[in-house]
Amino acid sequence: MIIQNAKVIVCSPGRNFVTLKINTDEGIYGVGDGTLNGRELPVVSYLKDHIIPCLIGRDPFQIEDIWQYLYKGAYWRRGPVTMAAIGAVDMALWDIKAKALQTPLYNLLGGKSRDRVMVYSHANGCDLEASIDVVGKHLDEGYKAVRIQSGIPGVAGTYGVTNTKDPYEPAQRGLPPESKHWSTEKYLKYVPTLFQKIRDTFGDEPRLLHDCHHRLTPIEAGRLGKELEPYHLFWIEDCIPAELQEGFRVIRQHTTTPLAVGEVFNSIWDTHILISEMLIDYIRTSICHGGGISHMKKVVSFAELYHVKTGFHGATDLSPVTLAASLHFDLAINNFGIQEYMPHNELTDEVFPHAYYFKDGFMYPGDEPGLGVDMDEEKAAEYPYERAYLPINRKEDGTLFDW
Ligand code: EZ4
Ligand code: CO
């Protein structure tokens, strides 16, 4: 079998997605996700201008060699654009191989280690009361784990919270990027009260998660983790911007609240100190941004040695292709932790028909050969790319801050 051609499809059924489709001479094709929220087009160029011309004629079964060829062969290594592009190729190649062998992808990753994948949902409320309400709704829908983001009193509009009934979608179409507001003081004062109220209302059983979205310093994160200890969170996520891996040493000295990090990482080199020093509990790098299944297998095996489990990023800016790849991976590995799940909108599900499904708090990748996700190219063509960016963030005095 050889790779005959490949194409990149950008579509926007509500939000932008970058999809790579690799065709072989035997009629089998594979799909991969290369979506990088707000920076989609450089990945398209990387694939079209630099990767696809080098793939034609290669044996799609030589996944590791092709991965190394694209990574080492470019000389310039890592970075979100490069790794998302390589990730898209890698996913598509695994899809091809599993389809050719007529087996679901999880069988090539070691087979089922469990029957089902526990997911957590996003509960967002504009204030305390609305947050309690929405947590109740998610528990009624069967979720066993819920991430809670809540409007901070005195702060107009923050991460994870919407004033509309629509699910939260941070990327907004058009220019300039939206501007949000932030106050660490008000946030730190509010969050422990929020979780106290949630535990008082729903008891000990639900797994509760929270995303700090890169906004604290290490010592502030230590304080938050310590104050949340009575409410036994499943994790706090991205409590500090994590380029400085050593910063987590400070947090660990102060709290036993479990820590999750990694959605903006793209290689093992962003996380090797965090893992080997056991400074985190969950690694969240997505299969798309982390160079695909081949590289994430290495990250996750390394993590396994140090008691670090997975909690793959599963926001709606990762396409159904990444979600499917994540679910197969989750099912196969031993050190699975939890999977993030934000359902895609209806249009997206129409563009990407898929075998995976949700039932009673768990997800299942389905048993179709390969990833079990296809792409309806005609439908995709109805929704062309639309410029959209993630927000920026400013402190109360106007200082540009982490979003
Ligand atoms: O802000 O995926 O845990 N989920 C998140 C997401 C990210 C977006 C950025 O593209 O933090 O909502
Ligand atoms: Co996050």
Side-chain angles (χ1 to χ4, degrees):
M1 192 187 292
I2 60 158
I3 297 173
Q4 206 163 41
N5 58 58
K7 71 171 158 184
V8 187
I9 302 142
V10 190
C11 64
S12 196
R15 63 159 354 283
N16 293 315
F17 295 110
V18 175
T19 311
L20 174 70
K21 191 169 173 186
I22 298 181
N23 294 301
T24 67
D25 60 336
E26 293 186 18
I28 293 175
Y29 61 87
V31 289
D33 178 23
T35 308
L36 186 60
N37 204 1
R39 293 292 184 272
E40 295 85 1
L41 301 184
V43 183
V44 176
S45 161
Y46 200 105
L47 284 164
K48 271 192 186 161
D49 298 330
H50 307 294
I51 286 186
I52 292 176
C54 301
L55 288 179
I56 314 302
R58 285 180 191 279
D59 177 354
F61 266 43
Q62 292 178 357
I63 301 176
E64 182 67 18
D65 185 65
I66 291 176
W67 196 95
Q68 299 294 343
Y69 176 84
L70 296 174
Y71 183 82
K72 294 183 177 163
Y75 185 66
W76 308 106
R77 299 179 186 192
R78 310 197 269 159
V81 174
T82 302
M83 296 301 273
I86 298 178
V89 174
D90 188 78
M91 258 182 254
L93 295 180
W94 280 97
D95 191 27
I96 289 171
K97 184 175 287 196
K99 280 176 176 168
L101 299 174
Q102 296 185 0
T103 192
L105 176 68
Y106 61 75
N107 276 334
L108 302 190
L109 303 178
K112 283 189 189 184
S113 283
R114 59 190 54 74
D115 301 324
R116 53 196 179 164
V117 172
M118 186 188 286
V119 297
Y120 69 90
S121 68
H122 281 206
N124 313 316
C126 57
D127 57 22
L128 189 63
E129 209 177 308
S131 306
I132 303 293
D133 254 25
V134 70
V135 171
K137 284 197 187 104
H138 285 232
L139 295 175
D140 289 346
E141 285 168 26
Y143 286 101
K144 313 287 180 259
V146 182
R147 185 194 90 157
I148 300 123
Q149 306 301 128
S150 181
I152 305 158
V155 179
T158 188
Y159 168 76
V161 180
T162 154
N163 289 324
T164 70
K165 286 258 171 284
D166 297 331
Y168 182 66
E169 172 54 71
Q172 295 297 318
R173 287 172 174 171
L175 281 168
E178 209 186 343
S179 192
K180 298 283 194 187
H181 308 276
W182 183 250
S183 160
T184 296
E185 293 79 358
K186 290 173 181 160
Y187 171 78
L188 286 177
K189 189 160 167 237
Y190 175 58
V191 175
T193 322
L194 169 72
F195 280 93
Q196 179 183 25
K197 184 81 188 164
I198 291 168
R199 278 290 179 226
D200 285 351
T201 313
F202 300 105
D204 287 342
E205 202 168 303
R207 293 160 186 83
L208 305 178
L209 299 81
H210 178 67
D211 193 345
C212 307
H213 220 263
H214 323 270
R215 285 153 196 224
L216 301 176
T217 63
I219 199 69
E220 288 164 353
R223 168 181 153 189
L224 179 67
K226 186 149 71 174
E227 292 185 7
L228 290 175
E229 278 170 22
Y231 316 117
H232 294 137
L233 267 63
F234 188 90
W235 77 37
I236 53 174
E237 169 182 340
D238 286 337
C239 48
I240 60 170
E243 292 97 322
L244 182 72
Q245 296 186 47
E246 295 86 337
F248 278 77
R249 292 181 190 143
V250 176
I251 310 173
R252 276 296 213 218
Q253 286 165 17
H254 296 283
T255 182
T256 56
T257 295
L259 304 175
V261 71
E263 69 183 45
V264 300
F265 293 171
N266 51 70
S267 90
I268 198 160
W269 305 109
D270 295 321
T271 192
H272 66 296
I273 295 173
L274 292 175
I275 292 174
S276 61
E277 291 189 20
M278 292 171 281
L279 300 177
I280 58 169
D281 303 283
Y282 296 91
I283 181 71
R284 285 184 39 74
T285 307
S286 76
I287 289 179
C288 166
H289 303 139
I293 292 158
S294 299
H295 191 64
M296 285 311 294
K297 270 189 335 140
K298 294 172 191 178
V299 173
V300 168
S301 298
F302 181 59
E304 186 178 5
L305 302 181
Y306 296 96
H307 306 279
V308 175
K309 292 185 261 188
T310 60
F312 289 140
H313 193 199
T316 39
D317 47 285
L318 298 152
S319 92
V321 181
T322 292
L323 181 55
S326 308
L327 293 170
H328 284 275
F329 203 118
D330 293 336
L331 206 65
I333 55 174
N334 181 261
N335 55 329
F336 167 71
I338 200 163
Q339 171 67 48
E340 183 178 26
Y341 176 49
M342 283 177 82
H344 290 101
N345 69 14
E346 235 171 85
L347 289 183
T348 302
D349 282 342
E350 281 174 25
V351 171
F352 297 95
H354 52 78
Y356 62 75
Y357 59 96
F358 170 86
K359 195 174 163 240
D360 200 24
F362 296 90
M363 285 188 82
Y364 303 78
D367 293 313
E368 280 183 19
L371 289 167
V373 183
D374 208 345
M375 183 176 204
D376 182 336
E377 288 185 54
E378 270 176 39
K379 262 244 137 52
E382 292 172 28
Y383 309 103
Y385 169 79
E386 295 202 38
R387 180 190 295 275
Y389 291 121
L390 289 168
I392 60 118
N393 203 19
R394 288 190 188 276
K395 294 204 272 193
E396 287 172 312
D397 68 356
T399 311
L400 195 92
F401 197 59
D402 307 85
W403 174 74

